[in-house]
Every structure is written in structure tokens, then in C-alpha cells.
Amino acid sequence: MVAPRNNAPARSPRWLRRTLLGAACAVAGGVSLAAKPAVLLRFSHVVAPDTPKGQMALRFQALVHERSGGRIRVEVFPDSQLWGDDDEMEALRLGAVEMLAPSLSKFGNAGVPEFEVFDLPYLFADLAQVRRVTQGAVGRGLLQRLGRQQMLGLGFLDNGFKQMSATRPLRTPADFRGLRVRVQASRVLAAQMRALGARPVVLPFGETQRALASGVVDAAENPLSNFLTQGLAPWQPHVTLTQHGYLGYAVVSNPRFWASLSQADHRLLASALEDALAHGNRLSADLDRQALAMLRRTPGVMLHEPSAAERAALRQAVQPAWDGLRRSLGPGLLNDVRNALITG
Ligand code: LMR
């Protein structure tokens, strides 16, 4: 069940959090020396536990524990506790964490620009369409490309469609003019906001709430489960159900870590992950619906549904983001995505 977080937690600096975390893990390890696992897999992510990604990671942890009889231990670190957007992929390459599930929007900046195709506004009509791409040849090809950046791509997970939030309704392109909008580090997302007359501000997810609270940025785009669990409502009372873009994840590991495991452990982890991803994918639409219902009941939150004409104007206005991606990647991948959408 998605639960709102109302106030910003008093966050200690990251080095302090990591030191405390390291000490806590050392103590836990010391207490249970006899039960020391043969394999330890640290899974770090940036969102709350009660989101599709948070729930998927916990299901993976439970399945691995059950199927390995505790021989393989998965430790899950949510909420950017261990690593945040700025450093998690580097930490993976250096072996300071074994598994991540960054949003697809974050792989472009990490050297795999093809992933930015998922950021194209209005590319997908629904999650069934997304899966035609992620679960087919195009998805497999994209996961393979992660090898170029020393990442092993293991699977895709949905969160859902993004909605706009701000201190005012955002129904038409004119409403966006002059707003500073927090975006993930993706050229397509930045182009989308510029096309609407807004100023994109790239910020790590873990800093978004504070930036909105302090007025560094005025607006944000999020699936509703992230909006709710990050406690953004007090600073973003207007949520416009634009449904303008998709947010999903790729689960990645460190190829050296993976190569150090036995074939039997590969099979165990791969099948646990497959089941955990299926669980997360089943959950994503439900958590989205629950978050919407909860926001409808939240005092002070105003939900807006753009009309068909307003949606059409927004869609028209963001075309430059498509042109930019066509220029930077060429037509090949876009044609493959389109074919996947048509043929399934
Ligand atoms: C964001 O930065 O907005 C998202 O990628 C966070 C997440 O992992 O869902």
C-alpha cells in the first residue's frame, strides 16, 4: 500500500549516512558471523519501499532467501540511503554495490543514449504498449547495449506514466512558461521542458523534495506513487493528469560480480529476478490507482484533467523533443520501436 511521506526526513550528509550504514552492517555481520552468507548482493535504489521498484526489490530479496536457504543474502537499501542518482552507476562499476534499478531515463547520461527513446513524450498509450517494446527484441537489444558501459542488463520494470505537479495547474503549453521544472538527467526530458517554455533543472531524485520545498524548482514530473511517497503534495498542490511520458527501470548488475557466481547461482538469481519483476509489473498499475485514490482524498491537493484539446496542444508543443532524438540517434531505433508497437 502506498503511503505518503509528509515531511522531509532530516537527512544527514551522504558520507555520514554511509559511515553509519557501514557501521550498522558491520555490527549486524558481527552478530551473525555463524550465518555469514556465501554470497552477499547489495541492491541499492532511490525510491521508497512502497513503490513498484521498492516492492520488486523486497520480493527479490525474499525469493532469493527462500530458494537459496539463506546461502545468498540480498540487502536492499531504498531511498538513496546507500547511493543516489549521482553516484550509483559508478558505485556499481567499482563493485561497491551489486544491483541497481535506475530509471531508463538515467542510462543516456551514463553513456547509453539509446535508452532516451523511452523519454519521448506520448510515445506509449499504455503499459501493454510499453511491454511490446521492453519484453521483445528491442528490449533485449537495449539491455545488451549496457555491456558497453560495464553493466549487465537483467530486465525491465514498469513504474507507470508521469503526471505534472506544480503550484498551479499545467493544462496548456502557456501554463508551463517560465517554470523551473525538475527533470532527470535526460536530453529528451530537458528538450521536452524547453519546448513547453519551461526551464529544465536536472536534480537527483533524492534532492527533489528539498528543492521543491525551498523553491529552487517550481514543478516536477512523476508517476503518482513517487509523488505520494516522496511527500511532494505540500509543495505541489496542483497535480495535472497529463500522462505525458513513461517511467520504467532496467535492473543492472556488475558483470564481474555475475561472472564470479556459479552457474547454479546464476539460474537461481535469474529466476528469482524474473518472478520479482513479474510481481513488480503486476503491482505497478495497482499502486498507481491507489496513489490516485489517496491523492483524491488528500486535503489541499487539486487534481486536474486536461481536455482533449488541451492534451492535443501539449502533444503538439513537445514535438521538438522528438526532432532532437531523431537527430541524435538517427531513425533506426525509433523505427524498431514503432514496428514493435504495431506488430507486438
Ligand atoms: C526520478 O529520478 O524521478 C526517478 O527515476 C526515480 C525512480 O527511480 O523512480
PDB file of all heavy atoms in Angstrom, residues 23-36 73:
ATOM      1  N   ALA A  23      28.715   0.987   9.547  1.00  0.00           N
ATOM      2  CA  ALA A  23      28.876   0.526  10.922  1.00  0.00           C
ATOM      3  C   ALA A  23      27.731  -0.420  11.285  1.00  0.00           C
ATOM      4  O   ALA A  23      27.942  -1.472  11.882  1.00  0.00           O
ATOM      5  CB  ALA A  23      28.884   1.714  11.869  1.00  0.00           C
ATOM      6  N   ALA A  24      26.501  -0.046  10.877  1.00  0.00           N
ATOM      7  CA  ALA A  24      25.347  -0.886  11.189  1.00  0.00           C
ATOM      8  C   ALA A  24      25.516  -2.258  10.546  1.00  0.00           C
ATOM      9  O   ALA A  24      25.255  -3.287  11.168  1.00  0.00           O
ATOM     10  CB  ALA A  24      24.066  -0.228  10.682  1.00  0.00           C
ATOM     11  N   CYS A  25      25.978  -2.276   9.276  1.00  0.00           N
ATOM     12  CA  CYS A  25      26.146  -3.561   8.596  1.00  0.00           C
ATOM     13  C   CYS A  25      27.230  -4.368   9.279  1.00  0.00           C
ATOM     14  O   CYS A  25      27.117  -5.579   9.437  1.00  0.00           O
ATOM     15  CB  CYS A  25      26.513  -3.372   7.133  1.00  0.00           C
ATOM     16  SG  CYS A  25      25.152  -2.692   6.212  1.00  0.00           S
ATOM     17  N   ALA A  26      28.306  -3.687   9.719  1.00  0.00           N
ATOM     18  CA  ALA A  26      29.407  -4.400  10.358  1.00  0.00           C
ATOM     19  C   ALA A  26      28.908  -5.051  11.644  1.00  0.00           C
ATOM     20  O   ALA A  26      29.211  -6.199  11.939  1.00  0.00           O
ATOM     21  CB  ALA A  26      30.551  -3.443  10.656  1.00  0.00           C
ATOM     22  N   VAL A  27      28.078  -4.278  12.412  1.00  0.00           N
ATOM     23  CA  VAL A  27      27.552  -4.828  13.660  1.00  0.00           C
ATOM     24  C   VAL A  27      26.684  -6.041  13.345  1.00  0.00           C
ATOM     25  O   VAL A  27      26.850  -7.129  13.896  1.00  0.00           O
ATOM     26  CB  VAL A  27      26.725  -3.761  14.418  1.00  0.00           C
ATOM     27  CG1 VAL A  27      25.972  -4.395  15.568  1.00  0.00           C
ATOM     28  CG2 VAL A  27      27.663  -2.680  14.918  1.00  0.00           C
ATOM     29  N   ALA A  28      25.769  -5.867  12.358  1.00  0.00           N
ATOM     30  CA  ALA A  28      24.884  -6.972  12.008  1.00  0.00           C
ATOM     31  C   ALA A  28      25.724  -8.175  11.584  1.00  0.00           C
ATOM     32  O   ALA A  28      25.468  -9.310  11.979  1.00  0.00           O
ATOM     33  CB  ALA A  28      23.952  -6.552  10.872  1.00  0.00           C
ATOM     34  N   GLY A  29      26.755  -7.914  10.776  1.00  0.00           N
ATOM     35  CA  GLY A  29      27.605  -9.010  10.307  1.00  0.00           C
ATOM     36  C   GLY A  29      28.294  -9.682  11.477  1.00  0.00           C
ATOM     37  O   GLY A  29      28.404 -10.901  11.537  1.00  0.00           O
ATOM     38  N   GLY A  30      28.740  -8.867  12.456  1.00  0.00           N
ATOM     39  CA  GLY A  30      29.444  -9.426  13.592  1.00  0.00           C
ATOM     40  C   GLY A  30      28.546 -10.327  14.421  1.00  0.00           C
ATOM     41  O   GLY A  30      28.942 -11.396  14.867  1.00  0.00           O
ATOM     42  N   VAL A  31      27.280  -9.890  14.577  1.00  0.00           N
ATOM     43  CA  VAL A  31      26.355 -10.658  15.400  1.00  0.00           C
ATOM     44  C   VAL A  31      26.089 -12.024  14.777  1.00  0.00           C
ATOM     45  O   VAL A  31      25.981 -13.034  15.452  1.00  0.00           O
ATOM     46  CB  VAL A  31      25.027  -9.876  15.548  1.00  0.00           C
ATOM     47  CG1 VAL A  31      23.934 -10.750  16.134  1.00  0.00           C
ATOM     48  CG2 VAL A  31      25.262  -8.648  16.412  1.00  0.00           C
ATOM     49  N   SER A  32      26.020 -12.034  13.432  1.00  0.00           N
ATOM     50  CA  SER A  32      25.592 -13.281  12.807  1.00  0.00           C
ATOM     51  C   SER A  32      26.732 -13.917  12.013  1.00  0.00           C
ATOM     52  O   SER A  32      26.515 -14.371  10.908  1.00  0.00           O
ATOM     53  CB  SER A  32      24.398 -12.999  11.884  1.00  0.00           C
ATOM     54  OG  SER A  32      24.806 -12.048  10.918  1.00  0.00           O
ATOM     55  N   LEU A  33      27.912 -13.921  12.598  1.00  0.00           N
ATOM     56  CA  LEU A  33      29.061 -14.479  11.875  1.00  0.00           C
ATOM     57  C   LEU A  33      28.799 -15.920  11.436  1.00  0.00           C
ATOM     58  O   LEU A  33      29.153 -16.322  10.332  1.00  0.00           O
ATOM     59  CB  LEU A  33      30.303 -14.435  12.777  1.00  0.00           C
ATOM     60  CG  LEU A  33      31.250 -13.254  12.565  1.00  0.00           C
ATOM     61  CD1 LEU A  33      32.534 -13.490  13.327  1.00  0.00           C
ATOM     62  CD2 LEU A  33      31.530 -13.033  11.074  1.00  0.00           C
ATOM     63  N   ALA A  34      28.130 -16.686  12.319  1.00  0.00           N
ATOM     64  CA  ALA A  34      27.909 -18.095  12.001  1.00  0.00           C
ATOM     65  C   ALA A  34      27.054 -18.225  10.749  1.00  0.00           C
ATOM     66  O   ALA A  34      27.202 -19.155   9.984  1.00  0.00           O
ATOM     67  CB  ALA A  34      27.230 -18.775  13.172  1.00  0.00           C
ATOM     68  N   ALA A  35      26.108 -17.243  10.581  1.00  0.00           N
ATOM     69  CA  ALA A  35      25.189 -17.338   9.451  1.00  0.00           C
ATOM     70  C   ALA A  35      25.674 -16.529   8.258  1.00  0.00           C
ATOM     71  O   ALA A  35      24.887 -16.127   7.429  1.00  0.00           O
ATOM     72  CB  ALA A  35      23.826 -16.863   9.890  1.00  0.00           C
ATOM     73  N   LYS A  36      26.972 -16.249   8.194  1.00  0.00           N
ATOM     74  CA  LYS A  36      27.501 -15.420   7.111  1.00  0.00           C
ATOM     75  C   LYS A  36      27.122 -16.039   5.757  1.00  0.00           C
ATOM     76  O   LYS A  36      27.351 -17.231   5.545  1.00  0.00           O
ATOM     77  CB  LYS A  36      29.022 -15.352   7.248  1.00  0.00           C
ATOM     78  CG  LYS A  36      29.653 -14.227   6.488  1.00  0.00           C
ATOM     79  CD  LYS A  36      31.095 -14.045   6.947  1.00  0.00           C
ATOM     80  CE  LYS A  36      31.791 -12.949   6.191  1.00  0.00           C
ATOM     81  NZ  LYS A  36      32.053 -13.271   4.818  1.00  0.00           N
ATOM     82  N   ARG A  73      22.475 -13.813   0.314  1.00  0.00           N
ATOM     83  CA  ARG A  73      21.721 -12.766   1.022  1.00  0.00           C
ATOM     84  C   ARG A  73      21.634 -11.509   0.155  1.00  0.00           C
ATOM     85  O   ARG A  73      22.654 -11.032  -0.357  1.00  0.00           O
ATOM     86  CB  ARG A  73      22.384 -12.417   2.341  1.00  0.00           C
ATOM     87  CG  ARG A  73      21.507 -11.429   3.124  1.00  0.00           C
ATOM     88  CD  ARG A  73      21.819 -11.426   4.595  1.00  0.00           C
ATOM     89  NE  ARG A  73      22.983 -10.596   4.876  1.00  0.00           N
ATOM     90  CZ  ARG A  73      23.783 -10.774   5.914  1.00  0.00           C
ATOM     91  NH1 ARG A  73      23.591 -11.767   6.748  1.00  0.00           N
ATOM     92  NH2 ARG A  73      24.795  -9.971   6.111  1.00  0.00           N
TER      93      ARG A  73
END
